[in-house]
Amino acid sequence: MTTTPQTAAPRTAPPATPLITVEEFFGPPARSNAQLSPDGTKVAYLAPWRDRLNVFVRDLDGDWPETPAVDDPASRRVTADDHRSIETFFWSADSRYLLFLQDTDGDENAHLHRVDPARAGEPAVDLTPVDGARVVGTQHTPDPGTVLVQFNARSPELIDLHELDLDTGRLTTVAENPGDVLGWMRTPSGRIVAFGLDDDGTHLLSDWNAGEPRVISRISGYDQPFGILPTVPTPDGAGLWTGSVRGSDRMRLVRIDLDTGEQHGVDSHPVFDLDVLRPTADPRYPAPLIVHPGTGELLGARYLGARQEIHPLDPHFAEVLPRLAELSDGDLAQVTCDTAGLRWVVDFTHDRDHRATWFYDHSTGTARRLFRSFPHLDPARLAPVTPVTITARDGIDLPCHLTLPPGTGHRDLPTVVLLHGGPWYRDSWTYDPEVQLLANRGYAVLQVNFRGSTGYGKAHMQAAIGQFAGRMHDDVIDALDWAIAQGWTDRDRVAIYGSSYGGYAALVGAAFTPDRFAAAISYTGMSDLVDITRRVVPFARRSLVNSFLRYMGDPDVPEQEADMYARSPITRVDDITAPVLLVHGANDLRVHRSNSDRVVEALRARGAEVEYLLNEREGHWFVNPDSNIELYRTLERFLARHLGGRVAGEV
């Protein structure tokens, strides 16, 4: 196997770096996720209150102290949730309101709430107050006093489209789902477009304005399993900007004509994919298309390989983009600007300096840093993340990331193989507190974008069909063997760890190749492929044909059901010999807690070493700082016992 680039392991052992506490890594950021109001005067951001992230507002002009004071009069808190951190919020188009999404203890039934920054003492208003309903999408309209909301108020299986009056909270149904619509969009001209799915998995783009729905375009579900993404209407209402792999291995930007259904190429990269699925799966990452907040014009498109490239698609943004890029050696992440396109608030993805946030004024050419999210973390004390490419045994390139602990010897290290979820996701060059915690504790961290990972072309993704616990796991072993051959990794001190699909992969590693791992950690991992498929929430079941059913199998077909069980760690628990840590949120709707409960029960029944952390107030991923602090304290102690790394309290 080969790697690019090839780097020689140092033979000397510099002194160990000081230990950074779990609280420093996983406590709430001082500030994060800054968004400029459309009028360019105020910045909303998340900051801690009672150990939960809430929305604050501050005037853009004025001082921004590096470490905000608790009683800072210039900062106005506009939400008051002391139960669960807020993650997603946005301005109304007229800068009057702030809107945010919040679920209950991780159940993912997000409601849309409204607060008025001018009346910071008033409680938030739930604008979608339907028990059990889930908002799955919002969209601004030409009327700044309204937004469009997609949610399943009428039936758990049916996502309808509603227009919401932000002042009164009145919801008006715009389009009712007859049973085969997965999502909606309304163009600036008022045209309603539906996204559906044929029985064979073909995605249907349909016009809903002439009485009977009219299919505009058909998109292969085999090539694009998660549909027509992104969905950005052109300002004239006649087209849709989206990604396409038609006739190509790579995702490029096209415009679909909403009258004819024809695709017209807009932009592409010769090597990289349009960065579509990563932000779709994880809203912490910026959208693939940068759109003007006032005109709706397309400003830029993001492509992601080892690092990000942004293509400017607007003359004005082509002038602004180089000035923004000068502010950091990271990758431009969140971008917000005023409706004049002159005042910009942006932050950056970086492997050691998480989301440093800047203000740039294009009218004067001046810029100033507003804040660092974690001012107490010195980037010089953190570990660089290095992209590498490894060749799998059958010749497929595996893009990976290697992080080596700073200030220690780099030979024969205890190693954590850290695997992402999905599997339709990807690791990338970024700041990850998990990675930095592990590196600080003395572990090498190897992240593997095994086949099935997205963002590396459709062939790389489709190579995972039927390969759960097969070649997908071979990729992990091949990457591990490479790290051992390079001298980074001590073969006898390797742990396998991941969440969601990564948790499944960790259990596969422990059960299918028990001689390769000294410990395994499954965080909200699936142990039963049949169970995970049958428990999918009602409104998403129709879309399984292109994902779970195609890649894992159909549990309603006896032969496929038997194969799914054979690839499920729950049927191989007796083969597990390494100590196992399982972590789960009791309210997880994606991977039911029984996937961990059953593994724990089976291991305990035969006296195997297993530890179980079950959090009653979390779901598929832990949100609250205290939940994460408990999780990673447990994890560092578990790894220290079985791999010998450092732990809190040691030097």
Side-chain angles (χ1 to χ4, degrees), residues 151-197:
F151 77 123
N152 55 344
R154 185 165 54 95
S155 169
E157 297 86 3
L158 303 175
I159 301 295
D160 296 328
L161 181 65
H162 306 266
E163 186 172 75
L164 171 65
D165 187 301
L166 294 177
D167 288 329
T168 66
R170 178 188 174 95
L171 282 162
T172 303
T173 302
V174 175
E176 283 196 351
N177 191 338
D180 58 356
V181 173
L182 302 178
W184 305 90
M185 182 189 75
R186 191 168 74 183
T187 71
S189 60
R191 176 182 294 190
I192 299 172
V193 177
F195 303 91
L197 199 66

Side-chain angles (χ1 to χ4, degrees), residues 621-641:
W621 52 83
F622 293 5
V623 169
N624 287 331
D626 51 331
S627 297
N628 280 308
I629 289 169
E630 179 188 28
L631 189 165
Y632 290 102
R633 281 177 177 168
T634 302
L635 182 145
E636 71 164 345
R637 290 193 298 265
F638 177 83
L639 288 174
R641 284 197 303 274

Side-chain angles (χ1 to χ4, degrees), residues 211-509:
E212 290 296 321
R214 177 181 67 86
V215 174
I216 302 168
S217 181
R218 299 175 182 269
I219 308 293
S220 167
Y222 181 79
D223 287 343
Q224 294 183 220
F226 300 99
I228 302 170
L229 296 169
T231 55
V232 178
T234 59
D236 61 7
L240 168 69
W241 286 312
T242 189
S244 175
V245 294
R246 183 179 292 175
S248 170
D249 184 57
R250 294 293 177 177
M251 178 72 73
R252 66 192 187 282
L253 176 61
V254 301
R255 177 188 180 275
I256 296 179
D257 188 302
L258 294 180
D259 289 323
T260 67
E262 294 180 1
Q263 291 189 10
H264 303 278
V266 176
D267 189 60
S268 63
H269 190 284
V271 180
F272 300 165
D273 275 359
L274 189 70
D275 189 17
V276 170
L277 289 179
R278 185 180 62 144
T280 300
D282 189 342
R284 293 175 299 178
Y285 290 103
L289 302 183
I290 303 171
V291 179
H292 192 288
T295 66
E297 289 292 345
L298 190 58
L299 301 182
R302 301 176 189 268
Y303 298 88
L304 187 64
R307 294 285 297 271
Q308 176 186 256
E309 287 188 22
I310 295 178
H311 289 182
L313 303 174
D314 169 86
H316 177 68
F317 188 62
E319 296 178 1
V320 171
L321 182 59
R323 303 304 305 271
L324 299 178
E326 293 172 355
L327 303 177
S328 171
D329 60 352
D331 292 343
L332 186 64
Q334 183 77 37
V335 175
T336 56
C337 68
D338 63 1
T339 52
L342 296 177
R343 311 191 100 196
W344 299 77
V345 170
V346 301
D347 61 26
F348 291 86
T349 297
H350 197 283
D351 61 342
R352 286 158 290 153
D353 191 8
H354 184 55
R355 293 295 176 89
T357 299
W358 290 76
F359 164 56
Y360 167 67
D361 189 333
H362 192 59
S363 63
T364 63
T366 60
R368 59 189 171 104
R369 192 174 71 186
L370 300 181
F371 61 82
R372 294 178 58 237
S373 290
F374 294 96
H376 57 280
L377 290 178
D378 179 1
R381 296 175 60 193
L382 302 180
V385 177
T386 303
V388 297
T389 299
I390 298 165
T391 304
R393 66 189 69 178
D394 62 353
I396 285 183
D397 284 342
L398 303 175
C400 300
H401 294 82
L402 177 68
T403 305
L404 299 175
T408 64
H410 289 161
R411 301 293 295 183
D412 296 324
L413 293 166
T415 297
V416 177
V417 178
L418 178 58
L419 303 175
H420 66 69
W424 304 281
Y425 189 64
R426 61 168 288 175
D427 288 316
S428 55
W429 182 85
T430 189
Y431 172 83
D432 185 333
E434 279 190 329
V435 171
Q436 294 298 334
L437 172 72
L438 293 169
N440 182 258
R441 298 306 188 257
Y443 304 105
V445 183
L446 180 62
Q447 298 170 277
V448 185
N449 282 313
F450 41 80
R451 68 195 70 204
S453 302
T454 58
Y456 299 103
K458 65 185 181 185
H460 187 81
M461 178 179 63
Q462 292 166 358
I465 294 173
Q467 294 302 320
F468 277 53
R471 289 185 175 176
M472 295 170 77
H473 184 57
D474 290 344
D475 292 345
V476 175
I477 298 300
D478 291 347
L480 174 58
D481 284 341
W482 167 85
I484 294 170
Q486 297 299 306
W488 311 122
T489 294
D490 179 350
R491 66 170 60 246
D492 295 323
R493 292 190 295 162
V494 179
I496 186 168
Y497 166 42
S499 62
S500 194
Y501 171 85
Y504 162 81
L507 292 173
V508 167

